[in-house]
Amino acid sequence: MSAPSPSLLAAARDMAEQQHYPQGALYMVATPIGNLADIGLRALHVLDLVDCIACEDTRHTAALLQSYGLHKPLLALHEHNEAEAAQTVVQRLRDGQRVAYVSDAGTPGVSDPGARLCAAVHAAGLRALPLPGASSITALLSVAGTGGHDGGFVFTGFLSPKATERQREVQAIAADPRACVLLEAPHRIEALARDLAALGERPLTIGRELTKQFEEVAQVAAKDFPAWLQAGAHRTRGEFVLLVHPTTAGTADDGMDEATLRTLDLLLAELPVKTAVKLCAEISGAPRNALYQAALARRHGAQED
């Protein structure tokens, strides 16, 4: 991408400067997750306006700014030095400077550094102001066709890199009927796919390399996720955002007769979900995954009543 023309920066200034940008404030600026054209005009204006930009990676941010024809002093602030560097930012704000913070991509503070920085700024009685923009989370939700029955979802982010803990976390997702958004890096995606396969027929929307040249969006049953990855060597490359779809009573009950569901209801009245499902599967011969989804949906419906 070539640097913006002076007329573009002037347009950004003309449209953005109607809002007040106080001194002594921190500006949390969302940046593109891939396509550089996704930068906001107000983000360009603020990045041009501030005295300093704190960032997750100075080399990455320097290249990003250069793409837009911007040059600013940079301060490294990442997960390993966030507490210490936050105090440097706080002092700059006390001196009346405007400071922006950007992560490597997307909205800072959301599975990226920035949260502890904002906490330090608030604790000092200073202001932190958001500049919304690109986010892989909302990007995937917008094309998934569901965010839950009422549009709600749970954002879980990255699961544990430890296999046993990750499997426990997947079990918790299975027990929650709500939509759940996950993030994962390429070197761990195959392990996560194997664990998510335990969700069986529960729909999964996959976002890979969103907004980048080779982006993919696909919907598969969770059990088919490992096979989807293996269908092309390129599919294990790039950053992932995943939406585990919500369970619904309608889809969970499909294919089960009234006697099976009645047995399930009787067992659920006396036993934990996993035990009730195990016994019902042994009694009825119905698939355990389908029974599990039906049990979760019925428990969720009972809570709402």
Side-chain angles (χ1 to χ4, degrees):
M1 178 177 176
S2 59
S5 65
S7 60
L8 177 59
L9 292 175
R13 182 180 63 249
D14 291 343
M15 285 187 276
E17 68 180 1
Q18 297 177 23
Q19 184 166 344
H20 179 52
Y21 299 93
Q23 294 179 310
L26 172 69
Y27 295 86
M28 299 292 282
V29 182
T31 55
I33 59 176
N35 193 317
L36 293 178
D38 289 338
I39 190 74
L41 288 177
R42 195 157 70 97
L44 282 176
H45 174 64
V46 167
L47 292 175
D48 191 35
L49 178 69
V50 296
D51 300 288
C52 171
I53 299 174
C55 55
E56 186 175 1
D57 185 320
T58 55
R59 292 170 298 181
H60 176 90
T61 299
L64 180 72
L65 294 176
Q66 187 175 8
S67 298
Y68 302 122
L70 299 172
H71 303 276
K72 289 288 174 175
L74 300 178
L75 170 67
L77 190 151
H78 44 74
E79 62 177 331
H80 302 296
N81 76 339
E82 189 168 359
E84 179 183 356
Q87 295 308 312
T88 301
V89 172
V90 166
Q91 187 56 55
R92 285 177 176 267
L93 299 182
R94 285 176 171 154
D95 292 339
Q97 293 186 22
R98 298 182 182 94
V99 179
Y101 182 73
V102 301
S103 58
D104 284 350
T107 302
V110 182
S111 285
D112 274 339
R116 282 186 289 178
L117 169 61
C118 282
V121 169
H122 292 310
L126 299 165
R127 298 180 67 180
L129 304 173
L131 269 80
S135 167
S136 64
I137 301 159
T138 52
L140 186 71
L141 283 167
S142 72
V143 296
T146 179
H149 310 304
D150 57 358
F153 65 94
V154 178
F155 175 62
T156 301
F158 292 93
L159 298 188
S160 173
K162 298 180 180 178
T164 302
E165 180 62 27
R166 185 175 61 248
Q167 288 162 9
R168 281 198 292 264
E169 292 169 337
V170 169
Q171 289 174 0
I173 293 169
D176 192 332
R178 295 172 293 178
C180 179
V181 179
L182 306 173
L183 303 175
E184 193 52 277
H187 65 282
R188 291 205 302 259
I189 193 61
E190 290 179 287
L192 177 61
R194 289 192 295 270
D195 291 336
L196 289 177
L199 300 179
E201 297 292 339
R202 193 161 173 180
L204 180 70
T205 296
I206 306 160
R208 188 185 73 85
E209 290 288 85
L210 292 183
T211 81
K212 299 175 184 176
Q213 184 177 1
F214 300 109
E215 73 177 347
E216 284 188 89
V217 175
Q219 286 191 352
V220 301
K223 67 182 179 62
D224 296 328
F225 188 21
W228 183 87
L229 283 176
Q230 293 167 10
H234 65 285
R235 284 187 171 167
T236 57
R237 302 171 192 156
E239 301 297 323
F240 286 81
V241 56
L242 308 165
L243 175 69
V244 178
H245 286 229
T247 60
T248 64
T251 57
D253 293 351
D254 286 349
M256 278 184 267
D257 57 40
E258 289 298 325
T260 298
L261 294 173
R262 175 64 178 158
T263 301
L264 180 61
D265 287 337
L266 291 171
L267 291 169
L268 285 172
E270 303 294 335
L271 299 168
V273 169
K274 290 181 68 175
T275 305
V277 166
K278 180 176 181 294
L279 290 175
C280 191
E282 293 174 357
I283 294 167
S284 67
R288 189 174 294 190
N289 283 335
L291 284 169
Y292 197 61
Q293 299 304 325
L296 294 178
R298 293 167 109 73
R299 277 282 171 90
H300 182 57
Q303 290 171 359
E304 289 183 341
D305 293 341

